[in-house]
Structure formats: C-alpha cells, structure tokens
Amino acid sequence: MALNIVIMAAGKGTRMKSALPKVLHKLAGRSLLRHVLDMTQGLQAQRNVVITGHGADAVEAAVAGPGVQFVRQMPQLGTGHAIQQAVPALPEDEGTTLILNGDVPLIKQATAQALVQACDGKALVLLTIHLSDPTGYGRIVRQDGQADGNVLAIVEHKDASAEQRTIREGYTGMMAAPTGALKRWVGQLKNENAQGEYYLTDIVAMAVAEGVPVLGIAAPNETEVLGVNSPVQLADLERRFQLEQAETLLEAGVRLADPRRFDVRGSLSCGQDVEIDVNCVFEGTVILGDNVRIGANCVIRNASIGAGTRIHEFTHIDGEKAGGAQVGAGALIGPFARLRPGADLGDEVHIGNFVEVKNSTLAKGAKANHLAYLGDATVGERVNYGAGSITANYDGANKHRTVIGADVHVGSNCVLIAPVEIGAGATIGGGSTITKPVAAGELSVARGKQVAIAGWSRPLKKR
Ligand code: UD1
Ligand code: CA
C-alpha cells in the first residue's frame, strides 16, 4: 500500500543557542535530520516530504537528494499547521502517511514499520511512551483511565487538567494515519488552546468521533523517541547511540577497553581479535583487519588497516575520503604518528613518533621512525629514512615527487629537494641537502663546510 513519510523540521530549537538550524546539529557525524532520512530508506515510501521553516535554505541544501521533497511552513503555527502545508504534496487519498520528527534521530526502522503496518491505511496509530516524568508531553487519554482502554484524545501538557497531568503515557510526536482522513482532519483544526497553535494532536478526538480506530503503540525504549532540544539532550543521545554501537561491536567479538570511551562517527568494520584501547574516535569508513591493535587516544578517519598492524597511542590518521589512507599488514604506526590523505603504507612499514606522511607510497619494510616528513614520495622496500629528514615537495606553486629506491639509507636531517630520484641501495649522508639525482649504490654527502669563527665567545653564567 502507498506510503508517504512526512518529517517535521520547521521548528526553531531556541534552546540550542546556535545559529545552525536545530535539525542540522550532528550526532555521530550525521545531522539529526539525516539520521531520520537514512532510517526511512528501508521503508520504501513513495515520497519523503520534509517540512522546513527556520533555516529552511540551509536545511534543504543539507539533505537534498533523490526522493526527498520539501514543503515550507512560514510562519510556524503548530504541528497541525505544519501538516496542513504538506497536504498539497500528498495527492492520493488511499494509503498511509507516517509522521516523524526531524529532531528525534534514533527512531528505528522496525518501530516505524510497526506503526505503518498497524495503520494499514485505516487506523490512526500513535507511538507512545511511558515516562516517570511526562512533563511537557501530550498525554494519551484513555477510556476510564485504563491502560488498555480505548484512546480518546491527546491533551497537550499546557492544556491538561491536574488530573490529566498525572497520566504517565505521553505522545512521542510520531504517528501513522490514513492519508485521506489525515488531510480532512488537519483542515478542520482550530487554534483555540493554551498556546494558540494548530495542534496535530487534536486529530485524535476527531478520529474517535468518526469511529476510526485509534491505537496507541508503546515505543520499545526511550532512546528511540527522545528528541533534541538542547545541547544537554544532544550529548545524552550521542552517548546512548555510541554505547549501542560499542555494545554491538563487543557482541561481535571486538575487544573494546571501555565501551563508554569509544566513538564511531560513520562505519567501523573489524576482523577477528581486534583490540581498541580507550578514547579512540573512528570517522567515515574505517576497516580494521584481523588482530589489529589500536592504542589509546587515536583518531582514525577513512582508512583501512591491515591484519596484525599495531597503531600506537595518539596516532592521527586521516584519509579524507573512503580508502584515502591505507596501512598494510604487520605494520607499526605511532605513537604520535600522522598519516594524511594518500598515505599508502605496505606491509611491515614502521612509522614512528612525529612522522608525517602525505600522498606517499611506502613499500614493504620501509621505516621512518622519528621526526620526519614524507610528502609526494615513492619509497622502496626496506628504506631507512632518518630522523629529521624531509622531502621538500612544494616550491611555493607546485608539488613535486621524490622517488627513493629500495634499500636506500637516508641519514638524519636530510632535505630531499623534489623533484629528485635516489637510486636503489644509495646512502645519503646525515645533514645533506640533495638537489640532484643520486645513482644506485652511491654515497652522497652534501653538507656545508664547518667553519670556526675566531674571537667569538659565549657569555658564561656566573656560578
Ligand atoms: C509535540 C506534541 C506533543 C508531544 C511532543 C513530543 C503537538 C501539538 N504536540 O509537542 O503531544 O508529546 O511533541 O515531543 O503536536 N514543528 C514544525 N512546525 C511547527 C511546530 C513544530 O515543523 O509549527 C516541528 C518541530 O520542529 C518538531 C516537531 O514539530 O520537530 C514537534 O514540535 P514541538 O514544538 O517540539 O512540539 P511539542 O510542543 O514538544
Ligand atoms: Ca518537542
């Protein structure tokens, strides 16, 4: 049966105290609204309508894509008024319309599907939640106040009597309704209430009056229905989401030192016997092979790490886009290493502390263990690249490559001025500035002459 999805995202979100529209605030690397849209992907709706208002241009630009259409609500006169604006975008009368909120990001597909199925184009289905403190929520008023009594109405907190405020069952803001009836009902809403708004929730009493079945379905848990109105709530949902991801990985056999100090903002896939220490952040698409160990406080974005590799503490890897940084098997990286986009490291490569690698290929067994820079370089097998050595790859306008053959030994504090090529097995003496190609097997030393300056004395501290 035809399904429409309408996502309300016009509200202001004053309590975020931010210039960014509320629904564009990020949770685990994706905007709140993006979470909802991603969830709807599996529901196969014939259309997804997003109602925008505050910050509409920014919101629409952020989530525009195939199958998403926008309706503007200006000004915002309530949730019922929001749905009135969507009516022209819902031409058919048969089928179901599912209403979601752009600021309730963790609703699961199974829950949304349950609402749609229970509605079946005929019933009005409300997603409800039992709360110890339902302050602020619309209350689900049931026949004779019985938990299994028929739903009679939703009464908004501000309009509720003292007795109604004792009801613990609240409306989550999500419902599924028969499309034709929904359109008719919202056309009849009035704003004679405590807030002077058009309440979508008033359609419940209309359905009851018409004899349309109204069902309240309880949400499986609180996390799925919590909205974001403030930084406190955003941080709370972030931790809930992260803990859920961590627990899924633990159950799959990934050994996390502490599931509460672990963040994935994207997708992390792990082989067998992977261990991850505390305070690591994974962003974009990250793939860890079997037996990978990640030390504490690493940030790894868009990278794949081969089997048995150890990433020591405080390493920063950023491939920029999926697959943008690659490390082979059995490599040792860090502590305090930095791999940037285009870093492509072979098996058994060693990258030590304060070494930066960008847009460079290092073949099997190459080592740069301390304080070095490799940019736009092709480094052969077993090369040993000394402390303090750099590739001078940028002339101020263009970047140039440095090619270092297999088994080359680059001493400490060398500057390789690109473009330059160093033949296999060559040795570059410490402190050299290399501007010309070096032949295979050659020893090349290019240092200034040591000068003694007469008559100079360094002031000595008095003892
Ligand atoms: C609404 C429900 C309340 C429910 C609560 C759950 C109504 C009248 N009340 O109340 O029963 O318990 O959600 O959180 O529906 N929005 C628009 N345009 C508007 C007003 C709101 O798009 O003119 C959007 C908001 O951006 C938000 C959603 O609708 O995504 C809910 O709006 P909000 O103002 O938070 O509703 P509540 O008063 O909390
Ligand atoms: Ca709300």
Side-chain angles (χ1 to χ4, degrees):
M1 185 167 329
L3 172 64
N4 299 301
I5 297 175
V6 177
I7 303 172
M8 294 193 287
K12 189 161 187 195
T14 316
R15 285 202 283 148
M16 291 303 290
K17 297 187 169 66
S18 167
L20 189 69
K22 178 167 77 169
V23 293
L24 294 187
H25 282 268
K26 288 196 169 152
L27 185 145
R30 278 182 291 159
S31 73
L32 301 176
L33 180 55
R34 173 59 61 198
H35 276 268
V36 179
L37 281 166
D38 286 352
M39 181 282 290
T40 65
Q41 286 309 296
L43 295 173
Q44 275 149 3
Q46 60 178 352
R47 55 179 78 78
N48 289 288
V49 179
V50 179
I51 301 171
T52 59
H54 277 284
D57 289 336
V59 173
E60 292 172 15
V63 301
V68 181
Q69 76 196 76
F70 299 100
V71 166
R72 289 203 180 185
Q73 184 200 13
M74 310 269 194
Q76 293 80 37
L77 304 179
T79 53
H81 179 253
I83 300 302
Q84 285 170 2
Q85 314 313 303
V87 167
L90 310 172
E92 303 84 5
D93 280 343
E94 72 281 5
T96 298
T97 295
L98 173 67
I99 298 174
L100 303 171
N101 282 288
D103 60 358
V104 181
L106 300 182
I107 179 72
K108 291 222 161 92
Q109 198 186 302
T111 305
Q113 190 76 61
L115 294 182
V116 171
Q117 264 161 17
C119 170
D120 194 29
K122 299 180 193 78
L124 177 60
V125 184
L126 310 170
L127 186 65
T128 75
I129 180 90
H130 292 266
L131 296 158
S132 47
D133 177 13
T135 305
Y137 281 78
R139 305 298 206 283
I140 307 292
V141 179
R142 290 179 182 264
Q143 184 98 48
D144 303 325
Q146 298 295 309
D148 57 353
N150 289 332
V151 175
L152 301 180
I154 298 177
V155 180
E156 290 305 304
H157 180 87
K158 286 187 179 151
D159 298 279
S161 64
E163 197 193 339
Q164 287 167 330
R165 285 188 185 180
T166 65
I167 299 172
R168 297 270 182 89
E169 188 180 12
Y171 170 55
T172 61
M174 291 173 272
M175 64 164 72
T179 303
L182 176 69
K183 292 195 289 185
R184 187 157 38 77
W185 294 329
V186 296
Q188 297 166 22
L189 290 172
K190 298 208 167 59
N191 65 349
E192 291 149 15
N193 52 52
Q195 303 183 76
E197 286 181 9
Y198 295 91
Y199 292 162
L200 176 61
T201 45
D202 284 350
I203 71 169
V204 175
M206 294 179 191
V208 171
E210 283 184 18
V212 172
V214 181
L215 305 170
I217 294 189
N221 58 64
E222 197 186 43
T223 305
E224 283 195 44
V225 301
L226 285 176
V228 173
N229 294 304
S230 66
V232 173
Q233 292 172 342
L234 181 61
D236 172 46
L237 277 197
E238 177 79 31
R239 288 333 305 161
R240 287 172 188 246
F241 183 74
Q242 292 299 348
L243 187 58
E244 202 173 286
Q245 294 192 122
E247 283 169 350
T248 303
L249 287 166
L250 284 167
E251 271 150 30
V254 179
R255 297 195 286 276
L256 304 178
D258 184 352
R260 292 178 187 277
R261 286 179 291 168
F262 170 78
D263 289 83
V264 178
R265 302 169 187 158
S267 85
L268 172 66
S269 77
C270 298
Q272 259 194 6
D273 288 304
V274 167
E275 284 183 15
I276 301 172
D277 210 333
V278 297
N279 293 333
C280 291
V281 178
F282 299 89
E283 297 189 350
T285 306
V286 176
I287 300 167
L288 307 180
D290 292 346
N291 292 297
V292 166
R293 302 271 182 281
I294 311 282
N297 302 300
C298 291
V299 176
I300 302 182
R301 184 181 296 136
N302 289 310
S304 66
I305 312 293
T309 285
R310 294 189 69 114
I311 310 286
H312 291 291
E313 293 78 357
F314 296 98
T315 290
H316 187 267
I317 300 179
D318 182 3
E320 222 165 67
K321 52 184 196 304
Q326 305 209 16
V327 180
L332 298 178
I333 312 294
F336 298 100
R338 180 167 185 217
L339 305 184
R340 296 178 55 202
D344 184 353
L345 280 44
D347 296 347
E348 292 159 43
V349 163
H350 294 186
I351 297 294
N353 41 239
F354 307 107
V355 174
E356 174 181 346
V357 180
K358 188 196 175 204
N359 195 29
S360 293
T361 305
L362 278 71
K364 184 175 178 180
K367 294 186 173 79
N369 272 326
H370 337 262
L371 302 159
Y373 176 59
L374 282 160
D376 300 301
T378 304
V379 179
E381 293 188 4
R382 298 172 300 277
V383 164
N384 196 320
Y385 193 79
S389 290
I390 67 156
T391 54
N393 57 325
Y394 186 51
D395 61 15
N398 298 300
K399 302 228 167 112
H400 304 281
R401 284 203 82 78
T402 300
V403 178
I404 304 174
D407 300 299
V408 165
H409 187 102
V410 177
S412 293
N413 252 20
C414 296
V415 182
L416 310 179
I417 305 210
V420 72
E421 186 163 350
I422 298 169
T427 300
I428 310 297
S432 293
T433 296
I434 301 297
T435 55
K436 293 197 279 283
V438 176
E442 196 174 276
L443 166 63
S444 190
V445 184
R447 298 176 189 147
K449 206 165 115 195
Q450 186 171 335
V451 183
I453 297 174
W456 183 85
S457 69
R458 180 162 53 87
L460 294 175
K461 258 192 187 166
K462 288 206 178 74
R463 294 197 165 214

